[in-house]
Amino acid sequence: MVDSQYYLPNDIGVSALDCREAFRLLSPREQMYSHYLSRAAWYGGLAVLLQTSPESANIFVLLQKIFRKQQPAAELEPVAMAAGLTSEEYQAFLVYAAGLYANMGNYKSFGDTKFIPNLPKDKLKALVFASQSFKEQPGEMEALWDSCSSALFSLEDKQKQLGLGSKGITTYFSGNCGLEDAELAQKFLDSQNLSAYNTRLFKTEKGGKMSYEVRLASAVKSDCAIDGEGETRCGSFSFEDKEFTVKRGDYAQIMERVSHYLEKAQAHAASENQKKMLEGYRRSFTFGSIDAHKEGSRFWIKDKGPIVESYIGFIESYRDPFGSRGEFEGFVAVVNKAMSERFAKLVSSAEVLLPELPWPRDFEKDTFLKPDFTSLDVLTFAGSGIPAGINIPNYDDIRQSEGFKNVSLGNVLAVAYATQKEKLTFLEEEDKDAYIKWKGPSFEVQVGLHELLGHGSGKLFVQDDQGKFNFDQNTLINPETGEKVTSWYRGNETWDSRFSTIASSYEECRAECVGLYLCLNKLALSIFGHEDQDAEDVVYINWLNMVRAGLLGLEFYTSESSSWRQAHMQARFVILRVLLEAGEGLVRLEEVAGADGRPDARITLDRTKIRTVGKTAIQRFLCKLQVLKATADVAGGRALYDGYSAVTDSGSHNFLRLRDTVLLRKEDRKMFVQANTRVQGEAVELVEYEGSAAGLIHSFTERFQEDAEQLEADLLELSKRDSPCWCH
């Protein structure tokens, strides 16, 4: 019997993301701008299929071909019944298809675990072969089924999760690459001052000598210098007795469409600044230049208070097993002015709150570059999943000296974190009503502090290529050792490139700790409208939610490879460990028998000790995290973080056994149905869909109507070109 963690349940939550009123309030020009930005984002998001697994693009095309001919409810369901499927099996198929669309691949975006259809393979094959699409193109559909059906259902150990080498599946690296190849490639990229964000790495052997191809995502396939580009970054290089070739053209057909729609959006931009921003992005996706994307990001930071907010590119590195390559995402959203006023007050108070953080002044940025911080109602979020908040850009050099932006996704928060009492696990009964009442408001506070003052705080000590320091290396004292600072970032080194595999989770942990620490501050609470007893309830539920999340995080730990699959949940588990170690009864975690007789657990938090024992524990840990990060102390950072990340059956808590309990009682994350936009004459129409698996499927079949067949052919061509690279 297959473990249920590899299925999506038939009753999984599916919610429509409401943006009707926000879109209605836009001017015709703003609506047109939003439309073309959304087109760019949706097409770019298809690159995630190719970034996730070898089979994802083929499965996507198979589903699109079936559903474009027959809609799930009225037309395909009778075919499924006639083919021998039960209603439960047909629903399982719809849930699987919706899951593939929502995650842009057959691995969960939150946890990186593979999911397969919860019905027999022969039943799914019968449905595919009975479909109208198969009847019209039997040869093509059978070949498509044959190309992906084995991988679609396979749960071989390596295929159960994403990872590098023997630890899992990745398409950021060819199948013959391991950690040592990733490390060597990073050194090479640093030597060439090339960012890894928009790259993939492919290794080949020629005459007994290893060679590597670094492939840049770009519409242009030529490797020579191009008019308007400046000096090309492509070419062949010898590095540490290995040959490296830098080439363009990864996801070329997709990047071409992204660039096309960004150019269309430029005509409807609200300002010259927005036009320059989009031009930087367009050049980046055309030529494969991260420098151009940085330039666009600089204009984006300067685009203060836009009505329509957006960002697009190879952004988050969570799913690269080495932690350096970005997954494509793009969002378009409308500013919620009322909620944004609170965040603006938080920005205004940042210079008062930052000195409260528990590290010396020299470890904080020289100046706090006040960012935009807005609450947004999402119109489009293309990629593998939708977060609650974002702090971008991720380029260290820009964040440290030029600034960043924060966004909180209001309409996502409204539905993603709604909780039903009967589904609340691991809490005492007396905590559940307060948890339901205050989880939303407390999470809003946590997201605000996490994004603005978590990711927005802390200095990195750097010696640039000219030997210039951004700190006084003769006088700066490390507060953890009492001695002078002896390590720092050099030249082109970045946080991601130095801390690599732990960088994302470590930084999320630091930001979460900032949120916990500063939510104790009365000013921070009052900004969000919480005073007196209400403020204390918000603090309690915020901390309780964090320790519960740490326990839930065990779902995302793979015991076979002793590895974590999700940065945020690893971070929360680390915080749980820190607070458990604080002792004095602050947090209690017990294994119990549930009402159903199966293993269960209870976690409790002593609210009277949060501001004493809890605050001290977070204060000390947070200072260590920042000092190790600032000084580029990779060895110290890894020792600290790996130690707290360890999941064992020894010590005061058997976390391996608790993991089994968490898996037994887990609830899958909700999926979101997003609207489409389409141009009707001079106007833009918003097309909405019902909050169901069928509605999610319908939204995707209508999303790429204008060039569906060519797009599907392009995806299959891109997938086929790379297929030999995974067979090792």
Side-chain angles (χ1 to χ4, degrees):
M1 184 176 176
V2 175
D3 191 326
S4 63
Q5 69 173 307
Y6 301 109
Y7 294 136
L8 300 178
N10 278 10
D11 62 352
I12 192 170
V14 184
S15 298
L17 210 52
D18 181 18
C19 62
R20 183 187 311 163
E21 184 64 12
F23 187 77
R24 185 186 67 81
L25 293 173
L26 295 178
S27 69
R29 183 187 184 105
E30 290 163 347
Q31 289 183 349
M32 198 68 76
Y33 180 65
S34 300
H35 167 73
Y36 286 119
L37 286 177
S38 293
R39 302 311 295 149
W42 284 124
Y43 276 106
L46 296 173
V48 178
L49 294 164
L50 299 160
Q51 292 182 298
T52 299
S53 72
E55 66 272 10
S56 285
N58 291 44
I59 300 171
F60 176 88
V61 173
L62 178 71
L63 295 173
Q64 287 288 88
K65 286 185 176 297
I66 291 171
F67 291 124
R68 279 198 297 110
K69 295 292 183 181
Q70 294 168 294
Q71 282 302 315
E75 298 166 327
L76 191 60
E77 186 171 9
V79 175
M81 299 300 105
L85 278 71
T86 66
S87 57
E88 290 78 14
E89 288 169 340
Y90 183 64
Q91 178 63 18
F93 167 61
L94 295 186
V95 165
Y96 175 80
L100 186 117
Y101 289 134
N103 293 277
M104 269 291 99
N106 59 338
Y107 287 76
K108 296 176 185 177
S109 64
F110 204 83
D112 295 341
T113 311
K114 188 173 185 177
F115 58 95
I116 66 173
N118 190 13
L119 71 159
K121 183 177 179 180
D122 61 340
K123 292 284 190 81
L124 181 52
K125 180 178 180 180
L127 174 56
V128 172
F129 280 46
S131 68
Q132 183 64 32
S133 184
F134 190 93
K135 289 178 180 177
E136 293 181 9
Q137 296 179 305
E140 182 180 341
M141 288 294 286
E142 184 168 6
L144 188 50
W145 168 259
D146 290 342
S147 74
C148 64
S149 56
S150 293
L152 197 153
F153 280 92
S154 175
L155 282 176
E156 294 179 14
D157 285 345
K158 182 177 177 179
Q159 295 181 340
K160 288 179 178 178
Q161 65 282 316
L162 300 180
L164 183 58
S166 62
K167 291 190 173 183
I169 292 295
T170 181
T171 51
Y172 287 104
F173 299 86
S174 57
N176 55 351
C177 284
L179 182 59
E180 66 281 1
D181 299 298
E183 291 171 340
L184 177 64
Q186 188 62 59
K187 291 179 184 176
F188 165 73
L189 292 170
D190 288 343
S191 75
Q192 297 295 314
N193 196 19
L194 265 175
S195 169
Y197 270 115
N198 65 341
T199 71
R200 293 196 291 172
L201 184 72
F202 299 86
K203 182 171 77 170
T204 56
E205 187 175 343
K206 297 178 181 177
K209 185 176 182 180
M210 292 297 176
S211 61
Y212 297 89
E213 177 184 315
V214 176
R215 199 181 294 167
L216 308 176
S218 69
V220 168
K221 297 178 183 178
S222 170
D223 296 329
C224 60
I226 294 172
D227 288 346
E229 179 202 13
E231 186 179 354
T232 184
R233 310 300 292 276
C234 300
S236 294
F237 309 86
S238 180
F239 182 79
E240 294 193 5
D241 200 33
K242 303 289 191 300
E243 181 183 330
F244 278 82
T245 304
V246 179
K247 303 189 74 172
R248 287 196 184 95
D250 214 3
Y251 326 117
Q253 297 94 315
I254 294 173
M255 294 298 102
E256 186 176 354
R257 289 173 170 90
V258 175
S259 298
H260 167 74
Y261 282 111
L262 287 175
E263 189 171 15
K264 288 223 171 225
Q266 282 180 281
H268 305 279
S271 65
E272 280 301 311
N273 197 78
Q274 281 186 356
K275 289 180 181 178
K276 291 177 180 177
M277 170 188 83
L278 295 179
E279 180 60 20
Y281 299 159
R282 192 190 66 76
R283 286 170 52 79
S284 173
F285 303 135
T286 300
F287 299 128
S289 167
I290 289 296
D291 287 340
H293 196 268
K294 283 185 174 182
E295 195 61 22
S297 297
R298 290 185 172 96
F299 285 111
W300 179 69
I301 293 167
K302 296 172 186 174
D303 189 27
K304 302 286 187 182
I307 302 299
V308 177
E309 185 61 282
S310 68
Y311 198 62
I312 189 169
F314 295 88
I315 312 299
E316 303 293 356
S317 58
Y318 303 129
R319 298 183 94 188
D320 169 16
F322 191 67
S324 295
R325 288 152 189 80
E327 183 178 75
F328 195 96
E329 69 179 43
F331 76 83
V332 184
V334 182
V335 173
N336 181 319
K337 292 182 179 179
M339 184 60 70
S340 295
E341 286 179 9
R342 291 185 183 178
F343 292 130
K345 289 179 183 176
L346 186 63
V347 172
S348 298
S349 303
E351 286 162 315
V352 177
L353 293 170
L354 279 171
E356 298 295 314
L357 292 172
W359 48 74
R361 177 67 188 87
D362 287 339
F363 282 72
E364 189 49 69
K365 292 175 182 175
D366 298 334
T367 56
F368 180 72
L369 302 165
K370 289 186 177 181
D372 253 13
F373 195 169
T374 49
S375 177
L376 306 176
D377 286 336
V378 172
L379 170 64
T380 294
F381 204 112
S384 66
I386 310 179
I390 316 171
N391 176 285
I392 36 183
N394 286 333
Y395 305 120
D396 288 337
D397 50 345
I398 294 179
R399 294 171 61 81
Q400 290 283 317
S401 59
E402 299 178 57
F404 54 91
K405 280 188 181 182
N406 294 274
V407 298
S408 174
L409 306 181
N411 59 342
V412 175
L413 285 168
V415 293
Y417 298 96
T419 306
Q420 295 175 287
K421 187 173 181 179
E422 61 271 19
K423 291 189 175 183
L424 264 183
T425 52
F426 310 130
L427 295 181
E428 296 287 0
E429 282 299 317
E430 57 263 32
D431 279 330
K432 289 184 178 180
D433 287 336
Y435 186 91
I436 289 169
K437 179 179 180 180
W438 294 108
K439 185 185 177 187
S442 69
F443 195 71
E444 179 185 280
V445 173
Q446 179 69 13
V447 168
L449 296 172
H450 171 119
E451 298 295 348
L452 177 68
L453 301 174
H455 292 314
S457 66
K459 184 173 182 173
L460 302 183
F461 300 131
V462 179
Q463 181 185 15
D464 66 20
D465 288 331
Q466 284 72 47
K468 184 180 179 182
F469 291 85
N470 70 343
F471 67 100
D472 187 343
Q473 74 275 23
N474 296 315
T475 61
L476 184 64
I477 300 297
N478 182 325
E480 294 296 309
T481 64
E483 299 174 354
K484 289 181 182 179
V485 166
T486 58
S487 58
W488 48 82
Y489 298 86
R490 301 172 189 272
N492 298 314
E493 292 178 344
T494 66
W495 160 247
D496 280 336
S497 70
R498 290 286 283 135
F499 281 73
S500 64
T501 55
I502 67 165
S504 294
S505 184
Y506 188 111
E507 173 58 12
E508 292 304 327
C509 187
R510 196 184 71 89
E512 291 283 43
C513 286
V514 168
L516 284 182
Y517 189 73
L518 289 181
C519 84
L520 302 173
N521 186 286
K522 288 185 176 180
L523 171 61
L525 289 163
S526 68
I527 288 169
F528 289 90
H530 305 305
E531 307 277 358
D532 305 323
Q533 186 56 45
D534 284 357
E536 292 306 307
D537 289 341
V538 164
V539 168
Y540 176 62
I541 297 304
N542 193 35
W543 280 62
L544 181 63
N545 186 49
M546 186 63 70
V547 294
R548 177 176 180 262
L551 179 59
L552 295 176
L554 286 169
E555 175 189 343
F556 303 99
Y557 177 79
T558 301
S559 54
E560 293 82 0
S561 59
S562 300
S563 61
W564 285 88
R565 306 187 311 273
Q566 215 292 323
H568 296 79
M569 299 310 283
Q570 179 184 2
R572 291 161 188 165
F573 175 77
V574 166
I575 293 170
L576 170 62
R577 288 281 309 274
V578 169
L579 295 177
L580 282 168
E581 283 191 11
E584 299 188 41
L586 172 68
V587 177
R588 294 186 186 277
L589 175 57
E590 299 175 316
E591 295 182 72
V592 300
D596 56 5
R598 300 186 299 171
D600 205 342
R602 290 291 177 270
I603 194 159
T604 56
L605 173 70
D606 188 338
R607 67 189 299 159
T608 67
K609 295 178 179 176
I610 293 173
R611 292 184 177 275
T612 52
V613 180
K615 181 178 181 180
T616 300
I618 291 297
Q619 182 180 45
R620 289 172 178 168
F621 185 64
L622 182 53
C623 185
K624 287 181 181 178
L625 290 175
Q626 171 55 24
V627 169
L628 292 165
K629 178 184 178 181
T631 58
D633 185 350
V634 178
R638 281 193 176 277
L640 176 72
Y641 204 67
D642 288 346
Y644 278 106
S645 298
V647 178
T648 68
D649 56 5
S650 60
S652 56
H653 297 90
N654 187 331
F655 286 115
L656 282 174
R657 192 166 62 216
L658 280 163
R659 175 181 176 270
D660 293 337
T661 301
V662 169
L663 288 172
L664 182 68
R665 299 185 178 277
K666 74 182 182 70
E667 180 183 1
D668 283 271
R669 289 168 67 85
K670 289 179 181 176
M671 298 189 289
F672 296 110
V673 182
Q674 298 184 59
N676 284 321
T677 55
R678 60 184 174 213
V679 176
Q680 299 278 47
E682 298 295 313
V684 179
E685 178 187 3
L686 185 74
V687 185
E688 298 175 286
Y689 305 88
E690 67 175 22
S692 66
L696 203 161
I697 292 165
H698 192 190
S699 72
F700 266 88
T701 56
E702 292 196 338
R703 193 152 281 151
F704 306 104
Q705 285 180 318
E706 58 262 49
D707 64 344
E709 291 192 6
Q710 184 59 54
L711 176 65
E712 290 161 9
D714 289 343
L715 284 170
L716 292 177
E717 180 187 331
L718 289 168
S719 178
K720 184 178 181 180
R721 182 186 73 168
D722 293 339
S723 59
C725 301
W726 321 127
C727 302
H728 295 278

